[in-house]
Amino acid sequence: MKILIAADGSDYTKRMLGYVAAHDELFGPAQDYTVFTAVPAVPPRAAAVIDKQTLQEYYADEAEKVLKPVRTFFEKQGLKAKTTFKVGSPAQAIAKMAESGKFDMVVMGSHGHSSLGNLVLGSVATNVLAHCKVPVLLVR
């Protein structure tokens, strides 16, 4: 099974990884994992005065802050995972990645860094559920 792990570095990402570790009957070494994060775009006016290489390095550094701990988790679990990121809206990027990558399932935390917006379910999770055409496993 091809599984997309959507991460943002929040406490809910840590909970989701704990769930993955505790359920090896579903999340074992036979699965094909891709860890994905979305980096919010720099506002256009600011991006216009920054050279493209510096901007790309900034995006890569921000993504690495989220991806590195998740990569370490997968290595400690004895699981292989590819990592990637996109720049843009997290919900749209996750749904698009899930569809274009032909994933069988998306696994993500129910909330992210800004859980004040929606108390029952995070706004990114709500939008992923609304736009994603593959099954989504939300971990609270």
Side-chain angles (χ1 to χ4, degrees):
M1 181 169 20
K2 210 172 161 187
I3 300 174
L4 180 64
I5 303 288
D8 67 356
S10 69
D11 286 340
Y12 284 91
T13 294
K14 293 173 187 166
R15 290 180 187 181
M16 178 261 302
L17 293 175
Y19 184 89
V20 169
H23 292 85
D24 58 354
E25 71 280 0
L26 177 61
F27 301 105
Q31 312 306 346
D32 180 15
Y33 298 99
T34 299
V35 180
F36 176 77
T37 192
V39 178
V42 170
R45 293 183 96 176
V49 297
I50 302 171
D51 68 272
K52 290 190 188 289
Q53 182 178 351
T54 302
L55 194 57
Q56 292 306 317
E57 289 172 1
Y58 166 76
Y59 289 138
D61 288 345
E62 290 300 302
E64 190 61 18
K65 288 176 188 175
V66 173
L67 296 174
K68 184 178 180 180
V70 179
R71 189 181 308 114
T72 301
F73 164 82
F74 272 87
E75 289 169 1
K76 286 182 180 176
Q77 295 297 317
L79 302 172
K80 294 182 181 181
K82 297 176 273 266
T83 59
T84 189
F85 75 95
K86 297 285 184 212
V87 176
S89 161
Q92 292 173 353
I94 293 166
K96 188 175 181 180
M97 180 72 172
E99 189 172 339
S100 67
K102 297 184 172 41
F103 286 91
D104 298 309
M105 179 175 23
V106 175
V107 181
M108 62 186 289
S110 62
H111 291 77
H113 284 293
S114 58
S115 60
L116 293 176
N118 293 338
L119 295 175
V120 176
L121 194 62
S123 59
V124 172
T126 302
N127 283 319
V128 169
L129 288 172
H131 295 100
C132 198
K133 296 180 180 173
V134 302
V136 178
L137 174 62
L138 292 176
V139 178
R140 188 163 169 90

